[in-house]
Amino acid sequence: MNANTPIRLLILNDSRDEANRLASMLTNAGKTPDAQHVESEEALIKVLQERSWDLLIGHVDTTNLTPETALKQIRKLNKDVPMVLLTDEEGSLAIVDGLKKGASDVLLVDEDQHLLQVITRELENREYRSQSRYAQRKLKDVERRNQQLLDSSKDAIAFVEDGMFLYTNDSFAQLLGYADRDDLECTPIIDVIDPSDQETLRDFLKDVATKGNMLDTQVLAFKVLSEDGQSKTINVDISLASYDDETCVQLLVPGVGKSQASESSAPSTSKSPDSTTNNSNLLDRNSFVEKLYRSLDVAAENEQTGAVIHIEIDQFLPTVVQKVGALAADRVLKNIGNYLKTLCPEGSVACQFSGNGFLVLVANTQANAALEIAETICARLREYYVDIDGSSLQFQFFVGAGLFSETTTTPDTPIMHALKAGELARQNDSKLAELYEPPQEEGEATARSDKDLERLIQKALDNGRFKLLFQPILSLRGSTQEHYEVLMRMLDSKGNEITPDEFLEVADSIGITAKIDRWVILEALKTLTSHRANGHNTRLIINLSNASIKDNTLPEWLAIAFKAAKLPSDSLVFQMGEPEVNDHITQAKTLSEKLTDLGAAVCISRFGCGVNPLNALQHVPAKYIKIDGTYTQELQEGNTARFGELIKELHTIEKVTIVPFVENASVLSKLWQSGVHYIQGFYLQAPTDSMNYEFDSDN
C-alpha cells in the first residue's frame, strides 16, 4: 500500500475518546487514517455494505458491539477486514483467547509503536491477499479460455492417464470416426489401437511412466481402429502434459478437424450471454456461469457485493409423477421457470441449474437486499399453481442465497454457499429463505493438517461425533421394498459437518476406516430397528471401505450384530466400489461369498468404467449393480448407446440395476424403457438425517 493512501479503518471501542486517540496516533505517525467509529451491529453492517475497509481495531471488552459479533458480520458479508484487538490484561491468556476468536493479533493498550508495526504488516498481508485473488481469477479465466481452445481446435488432441482417455476433443473423436467425444472418455486407449500395435504402445506408455517429466516430445506412428472397425495409421506427437491438475500424456495429431470445426465445436460458453435454454426463457447453465464470471470481475474492480440465489423444488418428481405423469415434468419446469423470470429483479438473470433447481444472479446488491429478494421469490412461488393437462400442481420451495464480493475468486463459491443455505432453509421451516453464513471454523477447516484430522477423527470415534444421512432409492418396477443408501458425515467440536472426501484418506492412513465402518453399521442397525418397528419394509445399503473388504473377521462380527439387533441379515446390502473390488479381487470374492452365506446382499457401485467391468462379476456374487454416474450424465445429454448396452448385459445375467445421480425428469422414460430397476439422486431427494421419503406415492 502506498504511504499516502488513506487507511480505511473501523474502530470498535466503547470510548469515543479512545477512538479519537487511535486516529490521532496514526496521523502523528505519518499515516492518513480514514476512520469510522462503530458503536452498534446495525452501524457495522451499514458501513461494511457501503464500502470496503482495510482494518478493524477493537478492544476485547467492548460491550456496545463485541468483537465476536463484528467478526461474524464480516464473514457473513464476505469481506476481507483483518481484526486487531487491544487488551488491558497482561500475559498470554488474553492473546490466546483473542486469536481463538479470530483476531489477527492481540496487543496491550498504549503499545502504540507495536501497534503501528502490526498495522503495517496487516495492510501488507491484505494487499498480498488481494493480489493473490486477482491472480486466481486470471488463472481461472485463462484455464477457461484454454479449455475453449482445446474443445474447438482443428488439431486432434487427447490426454491419457493410467492408460485411460482423460479427455478428447471433437477433432480427435472425428479422427476415430466417433460422433461424440464423450464416447471415448474413460475408455482404455488400448481399445482403439490395432492389435498389431497394442504391445508397442503399451511398452511406450510404460516407458513414459518410468521417465516421468524427462520425456521430450516424440513422434510415434501406430495403427488405430475407428468406430466402424477400420484400421488406419496416424502419426502422433506425444509429450507429457498436465490436464485438470493431473499429470498425463498428451496425444496430438495436427490439422485433422474439418474446416468448420472451430465453429461447430465451439463450446457453449462462447454463446451470447442472452442465449436461452430450449425449456424456458431462462439462460442456459453455461451462459449463466459466464455471466457470473463477469460479475465477479466487476465486483473485484469496483469492490461491490452480489448474490446467487438457489431455488429448490421439494419432492418435484414424486408430485409430478403422481399428478400428471413423468413425461409432463419438462413442461412443469418450463412453467415454473417462466414464472420465476417474472419474479427476478431488473438486471438479474436466471437459469435452470438441475432437474429440480434454479439459480438467480443478482449483481451489485447487499446482503439484506439479497435475502429479501430470496424471501419474496420463495413466498410467491409457494403460492403459485402450475396448471398442466387440467391438473393444478403446487410445490414446496426451499431458497438459499450466497454472496460474492471482491474476495471471491471462482463462481463455485457463491453457488455452493447458496446450495448450503438452501439446506439450512429446508431444516428451518419458520424461514422463507436463508443467507449463507460461514461457520466460525471454516477458514481453519480448509487448512487442517493431516495431524489435525487425525485428532478430529479419533475424537469423533471416542465421542460418537459421526452422523448418518439417508438417501432414498426408488423402484421403477413397482417393488414395495423401500431402499435407502446410508451416507456419513463427521462433526467437529462445533457441530460443523466434514464430508468423507475430507477425512477418509487420512482415516485410512492411520488404519481406522474399518472401525468407522463398524460404527456406521451399528448405528444403521439401531435406526433401522426402530424404523421397521413402525411398519416399514426398509432395506439399507451401506458402503464398505478397502479395510473392511480385507477384514476377514467382518462376517462373523456381522452375524453377532444382526442377532443383537433382532433383524434379518437381508435387511442390509453391503456396497463396494468397482475400483476397490478390482484392486482386491480375491478378498472381495471371499467377503461377498461369506456375506451371501450370511443372507446379506452385495452391491457393486461406480460400475462400468473398468477395462472389463463384467469380469469382476465372474468372481464377486453381487446381486445389485449401481451404474457409474458418467453413464447417467451421458443419458441426460442424449447419449443412450453405451448405457443401453451395459444395462442389457447386466439384465442378461439377472442383476438388479440402480442408476444414481438422476437429475432430469426427461430421462425417466429412457430409464423405464431400458428396464432399470431403481433410481437414486437429488431429483428424488437429497440425503437427510431421517428416512422420511414417501414411497407409497410413487408405486
Side-chain angles (χ1 to χ4, degrees), residues 359-391:
L359 288 178
V360 177
L361 168 61
V362 185
N364 196 16
T365 188
Q366 302 299 339
N368 292 340
L371 183 57
E372 289 177 6
I373 293 168
E375 289 173 338
T376 300
I377 289 174
C378 185
R380 298 285 295 276
L381 284 173
R382 287 182 178 182
E383 296 170 354
Y384 184 62
Y385 284 90
V386 180
D387 292 320
I388 297 289
D389 297 337
S391 297

Side-chain angles (χ1 to χ4, degrees), residues 227-479:
E227 188 178 31
D228 60 7
Q230 297 295 315
S231 176
K232 62 180 176 181
T233 300
I234 59 174
N235 294 305
V236 184
D237 294 342
I238 302 180
S239 61
L240 275 184
S242 177
Y243 180 79
D244 200 17
D245 294 328
E246 299 286 348
T247 300
C248 54
V249 175
Q250 175 182 283
L251 310 181
L252 185 147
V253 182
V256 301
K258 294 180 180 178
S259 59
Q260 70 269 26
S262 60
E263 298 177 5
S264 62
S265 304
S268 55
T269 51
S270 65
K271 292 180 182 178
S272 163
D274 296 325
S275 160
T276 59
T277 64
N278 294 327
N279 195 39
S280 68
N281 59 4
L282 306 181
L283 291 184
D284 63 71
R285 184 157 53 178
N286 288 331
S287 297
F288 180 91
V289 172
E290 188 72 18
K291 278 271 191 183
L292 182 51
Y293 266 112
R294 289 204 293 273
S295 296
L296 294 186
D297 289 338
V298 172
E301 291 168 7
N302 301 321
E303 297 185 331
Q304 295 175 348
T305 300
V308 172
I309 299 171
H310 179 253
I311 300 102
E312 178 189 1
I313 313 171
D314 188 43
Q315 293 287 310
F316 174 76
L317 183 58
T319 303
V320 172
V321 170
Q322 183 182 22
K323 293 287 188 70
V324 292
L327 296 181
D330 279 344
R331 286 189 291 151
V332 176
L333 281 173
K334 179 179 180 180
N335 188 300
I336 295 172
N338 288 335
Y339 181 63
L340 171 63
K341 183 66 176 176
T342 68
L343 304 178
C344 295
E346 185 177 355
S348 63
V349 295
C351 78
Q352 183 181 325
F353 181 66
S354 64
N356 66 332
F358 299 88
L359 288 178
V360 177
L361 168 61
V362 185
N364 196 16
T365 188
Q366 302 299 339
N368 292 340
L371 183 57
E372 289 177 6
I373 293 168
E375 289 173 338
T376 300
I377 289 174
C378 185
R380 298 285 295 276
L381 284 173
R382 287 182 178 182
E383 296 170 354
Y384 184 62
Y385 284 90
V386 180
D387 292 320
I388 297 289
D389 297 337
S391 297
S392 296
L393 290 77
Q394 189 175 26
F395 298 92
Q396 176 75 313
F397 292 84
F398 297 108
V399 179
L403 300 178
F404 60 87
S405 67
E406 68 273 12
T407 66
T408 308
T409 59
T410 170
D412 290 339
T413 301
I415 292 174
M416 288 305 301
H417 287 176
L419 290 169
K420 289 181 178 179
E423 284 301 308
L424 292 176
R426 176 186 289 277
Q427 298 167 19
N428 189 351
D429 291 337
S430 64
K431 293 186 177 181
L432 286 169
E434 286 276 4
L435 180 67
Y436 177 79
E437 296 184 25
Q440 183 73 16
E441 293 187 326
E442 179 158 336
E444 293 89 333
T446 57
R448 286 188 179 113
S449 67
D450 287 354
K451 288 293 183 184
D452 293 331
L453 282 172
E454 286 179 23
R455 288 192 291 269
L456 277 174
I457 294 166
Q458 196 59 59
K459 285 182 179 179
L461 270 178
D462 295 341
N463 302 312
R465 289 209 302 256
F466 287 99
K467 174 183 178 181
L468 297 187
L469 299 176
F470 304 90
Q471 187 171 33
I473 298 174
L474 179 68
S475 171
L476 293 183
R477 304 294 137 195
S479 172

